[in-house]
Amino acid sequence: MISILSLLLQATGAPAPAPAPAAAPVAPWTVTLRPKTDPTITSTVAGAPSSDGNARIVVRCDSGAQQVVSVQFFTRTPLGGPPDRPVTLTIDGGTPMGANWEFVEKGAYIREDVAVTTITTALAKAKSIKLATTTAAGEPVNASFAGPPSAEPITKVLAACGYTLGTPPVRAPQPAPTPAKK
């Protein structure tokens, strides 16, 4: 039945339906809001692809009951997941900054406040970013990225979580656990 309808439409000269437009690619370092399945959490991100297109660096704010900013690295190369291991960032050919990041199969991230403050402050001024790490098997993984056009994208992502560029957030002390009743 459908093929007969198709033939009739072709015979009458009716135009075929236009294909759905493809989603436009997001320009590097564009700040975007990411929908979450949990409506109480919002995610704001900005990032850039690597020069070879095989990796991505992202600054991300997850804002809900807690506000957490992380710097994330994703690659097509399987990284092998945990354990934590070193990631080194070299900004504009300067002194390498290294820290242990948490790893998942195809990515790594750091969310510790002081480290994120140091990294985002450097990224906001960066013209070129080089990242080096290893897979869980010890194979080197390297990526190069263009820095943001200005500090604005980094500043906006940080602001979404109440952070200020260059200043570690002040967190309220966590309540002490209550002892179990006997």
Side-chain angles (χ1 to χ4, degrees), residues 117-178:
T117 299
T118 301
I119 294 167
T120 55
T121 300
L123 289 177
K125 299 180 233 172
K127 299 297 176 226
S128 68
I129 304 158
K130 293 188 185 283
L131 184 145
T133 191
T134 61
T135 65
E139 297 296 318
V141 176
N142 297 292
S144 297
F145 306 90
S150 70
E152 183 181 14
I154 305 295
T155 302
K156 282 184 174 182
V157 172
L158 295 173
C161 270
Y163 287 39
T164 301
L165 181 64
T167 306
V170 176
R171 300 211 183 263
Q174 295 295 320
T178 55

Side-chain angles (χ1 to χ4, degrees), residues 4-165:
I4 294 172
L5 181 57
S6 176
L7 288 173
L8 287 173
L9 286 174
Q10 287 176 356
T12 61
V26 176
W29 297 108
T30 299
V31 177
T32 57
L33 199 59
R34 294 272 170 92
K36 301 294 277 180
T37 54
D38 181 348
T40 64
I41 299 173
T42 58
S43 293
T44 306
V45 300
S50 62
S51 58
D52 66 3
N54 289 324
R56 185 162 185 78
I57 191 165
V58 174
V59 177
R60 179 179 177 140
C61 158
D62 289 306
S63 184
Q66 292 185 342
Q67 297 176 322
V68 177
V69 173
S70 59
V71 179
Q72 303 177 354
F73 168 67
F74 299 100
T75 179
R76 292 184 181 158
T77 302
L79 297 173
D84 295 0
R85 52 190 177 275
V87 171
T88 302
L89 292 169
T90 304
I91 308 294
D92 298 331
T95 303
M97 299 183 298
N100 278 343
W101 290 31
E102 298 175 60
F103 277 72
V104 293
E105 183 59 31
K106 289 196 174 184
Y109 61 96
I110 189 164
R111 57 186 167 174
E112 191 275 319
D113 290 334
V114 174
V116 166
T117 299
T118 301
I119 294 167
T120 55
T121 300
L123 289 177
K125 299 180 233 172
K127 299 297 176 226
S128 68
I129 304 158
K130 293 188 185 283
L131 184 145
T133 191
T134 61
T135 65
E139 297 296 318
V141 176
N142 297 292
S144 297
F145 306 90
S150 70
E152 183 181 14
I154 305 295
T155 302
K156 282 184 174 182
V157 172
L158 295 173
C161 270
Y163 287 39
T164 301
L165 181 64

